[in-house]
Amino acid sequence: MADLIDLRSDTVTRPTAEMRQAMAGAEVGDDVYGEDPTVKALEAEVAAMFGHEAALFCPSGSMANQIALQLLVPPGSELLCDADAHVVTYEMGAAAAYGGVTSRTWPPVGAQLDPDVVAGMVRPDGYWAVPTRAIAVEQTHNRGGGGVIPLDTLRELRRVADAGQVALHCDGARIWHAHVADGVPLANYGALFDTLSVCLSKGLGAPVGSLVVGAADRIERGRVIRKRMGGGMRQAGILAAAGRHALAHHIDRLAADHAKAARLAEAVAPFGVLATTVRTNIVPLDLTKAPLDAPTLAAAARAEGVLISVLGPHTARLVTHLDVTDAQVDQAATTLTHILRH
Ligand SMILES: Cc1ncc(COP(=O)(O)O)c(C=O)c1O
């Protein structure tokens, strides 16, 4: 894939030379024994960034989400989320399969969340109906085109959660992008949620790693769940070092990825295929009115050396990240406009 312009996802990045150096020099120990100093340092650092007491290093964002959901939603009770949320779309039914959790969804609205709609869905504790125990939101919203939920909407949602006595989880795989796009301090987001999951391997450029963030007692229970799910890692400091490097060097630069996405959006917009306004590093394409469908566009782009994601028959996605240069973005824009024009 090295010679191709890969816009399928921000997960395709490879560690930079500096990141590899940080990994090679990492101090390590057995983290299941609680003896890896680099993992501990990463966990403390991320907890502090979000103003929470503790964090837990996990192998993937899916595992981090699912640990959080098991912490918040007891078996036989329910989670509310967007119908397009990653937790109910791409996590292979894990909430039901591992946590005995029922998921009920509101119609897909991406970042255009309406707290009143969610308020109307919360079911109280009782013996006659499945009680709601948690609400999950996604910041930024992946299938929602990288949209950013405004801080005021999240504050309103917190009031809804408090009124219904339910917990609030944030799938913050790309919360860094929201922080950069809206200038909201990470701690302001952290203050609104009982648990967050955050990813080091989407956009930040680490090869592996996500964390669950929350209160110390919760995270201790999360440690047990992680071990049960096979996520206890041994000399994981090698990976945590990559994550620490990413946090130190790759957050502010996300603004450059957002600018690249805006350039791609500007190039394809005249063809009427832009699904939403682009706020971060994701460019969602709606090809319903285009003369070609998503697989045809992707195949034609691939033949010209540009990889894009097909999300449905008429939906596609371009994602910018630290492994695509400005020149490659310009080249991809030229390729895509050429295909759309013919
Ligand atoms: C919003 C969101 N949450 C969670 C995940 C899961 O991360 P992982 O692939 O590490 O399990 C992803 C992956 O792309 C994502 O986009």
Side-chain angles (χ1 to χ4, degrees):
M1 301 285 167
D3 47 346
L4 298 172
I5 301 173
D6 197 342
L7 300 174
R8 290 172 302 166
S9 173
D10 49 11
T11 57
V12 301
T13 56
R14 276 147 301 197
T16 61
E18 295 78 13
M19 184 179 277
R20 286 171 194 260
Q21 247 168 28
M23 295 171 78
E27 227 188 302
V28 297
D30 188 328
D31 185 52
V32 175
Y33 288 179
E35 290 173 2
D36 190 303
T38 311
V39 171
K40 282 180 187 235
L42 172 70
E43 290 176 341
E45 213 166 279
V46 171
M49 286 172 106
F50 288 91
H52 273 271
E53 287 172 347
L56 181 67
F57 189 45
C58 299
S60 71
S62 300
M63 188 184 284
N65 273 333
Q66 294 302 326
I67 289 172
L69 296 184
Q70 287 181 51
L71 286 169
L72 301 178
V73 188
S77 50
E78 82 177 4
L79 168 77
L80 300 181
C81 65
D82 186 284
D84 260 352
H86 194 281
V87 289
V88 290
T89 308
Y90 296 121
E91 298 185 10
M92 315 315 284
Y98 298 136
V101 171
T102 296
S103 299
R104 197 152 53 93
T105 58
W106 59 81
V109 289
Q112 315 300 315
L113 176 69
D114 181 349
D116 287 340
V117 169
V118 182
M121 293 176 71
V122 175
R123 287 189 178 133
D125 208 355
Y127 62 85
W128 62 93
V130 179
T132 308
R133 298 290 192 207
I135 300 164
V137 296
E138 201 169 297
Q139 182 77 310
T140 63
H141 204 288
N142 181 348
R143 285 181 65 91
V148 184
I149 307 170
L151 188 63
D152 282 347
T153 305
L154 293 174
R155 287 195 173 121
E156 190 53 39
L157 191 66
R158 179 74 249 180
R159 282 191 281 274
V160 167
D162 288 344
Q165 293 181 291
V166 302
L168 202 52
H169 171 68
C170 179
D171 175 351
R174 297 183 184 78
I175 199 159
W176 330 102
H177 300 74
H179 157 69
V180 168
D182 273 6
V184 172
L186 293 169
N188 290 23
Y189 286 133
L192 295 173
F193 295 100
D194 299 286
T195 53
L196 301 96
S197 64
V198 299
C199 289
L200 305 167
S201 61
K202 328 234 145 43
L204 290 195
V208 171
S210 296
L211 295 101
V212 189
V213 183
D217 58 339
R218 250 195 198 118
I219 294 302
E220 272 320 293
R221 286 194 289 125
R223 203 171 289 283
V224 176
I225 298 171
R226 183 185 67 176
K227 185 71 169 61
R228 183 178 298 140
M229 293 175 79
M233 297 181 286
R234 302 295 177 172
Q235 285 69 31
I238 296 274
L239 300 171
R244 295 189 73 198
H245 181 87
L247 293 172
H249 302 284
H250 294 170
I251 294 183
D252 291 344
R253 64 152 306 286
L254 291 174
D257 293 344
H258 297 179
K260 289 176 211 162
R263 284 225 305 285
L264 286 169
E266 201 184 326
V268 299
F271 300 94
V273 295
L274 206 53
T276 59
T277 310
V278 169
R279 290 292 325 281
T280 57
N281 66 326
I282 298 178
V283 183
L285 303 184
D286 175 356
L287 299 159
T288 333
K289 297 196 182 102
L292 75 185
D293 62 12
T296 309
L297 175 65
R302 189 181 188 105
E304 300 291 323
V306 178
L307 303 184
I308 69 171
S309 272
V310 174
L311 300 187
H314 301 284
T315 32
R317 188 185 73 173
L318 322 173
V319 187
T320 59
H321 50 76
L322 88 173
D323 278 9
V324 278
T325 63
D326 285 332
Q328 287 177 316
V329 164
D330 289 340
Q331 198 182 323
T334 306
T335 300
L336 292 168
T337 51
H338 185 256
I339 297 167
L340 288 166
R341 189 171 291 128
H342 290 87

